[in-house]
Amino acid sequence: VRLAESGGGAVQAGGSLRLSCAVSGYTTGGDCMGWFRKSPGQGREGVAALNSDGSTSYVDSVKGRFTISKDIAARTLYLQMNSLKLEDTATYYCGLSRGYARWPLRITEYDYWGQGTQVTVQE
């Protein structure tokens, strides 16, 4: 199973980015996928998740700004990030849970991880 993130980069505060996570070696369906991020000196934080029942979860700090979505045919997970803030600077990781996640923003729910993509928000 391989998860490959892309779409990170440097952007000015208030700008937008769209992250992608391509899944290979796994037949998607009935699973939960999510985005997490890690800033220097901080633990990995759950940002957004799309569960197997179609429900979405977001950490409070990104509600109304970030949107998680999935293209099943393309086996790709997306994170549209708008109105980016300095505090969104982090390495963003996608994760896959083989089944419904009771706590979709918890790291322990996930079985597979990508290598991460860096997002830097500048003034």
Side-chain angles (χ1 to χ4, degrees):
V1 178
R2 182 170 182 264
L3 281 65
E5 301 96 336
S6 60
V11 63
Q12 284 192 319
S16 298
L17 282 175
R18 188 176 80 155
L19 304 184
S20 299
C21 173
V23 180
S24 58
Y26 179 85
T27 301
T28 57
D31 45 64
C32 176
M33 293 194 70
W35 288 98
F36 290 72
R37 65 187 178 188
K38 187 178 187 307
S39 304
Q42 303 292 323
R44 194 174 291 196
E45 172 190 44
V47 175
L50 178 55
N51 221 328
S52 58
D53 63 356
S55 62
T56 56
S57 304
Y58 296 93
V59 67
D60 286 347
S61 60
V62 308
K63 286 180 180 177
R65 300 190 297 122
F66 290 11
T67 303
I68 189 170
S69 62
K70 183 167 66 174
D71 183 331
I72 296 175
R75 298 185 180 182
T76 302
L77 182 74
Y78 301 101
L79 184 67
Q80 179 66 44
M81 306 187 294
N82 298 329
S83 302
L84 282 161
K85 303 177 180 180
L86 297 178
E87 52 264 40
D88 294 318
T89 294
T91 301
Y92 283 72
Y93 301 87
C94 69
L96 187 152
S97 171
R98 295 172 297 178
Y100 177 81
R102 184 176 181 185
W103 309 105
L105 295 182
R106 290 187 181 177
I107 296 172
T108 52
E109 293 278 7
Y110 291 80
D111 303 295
Y112 304 103
W113 295 95
Q115 293 300 306
T117 186
Q118 178 66 36
V119 172
T120 302
V121 184
Q122 303 168 331
E123 292 187 63

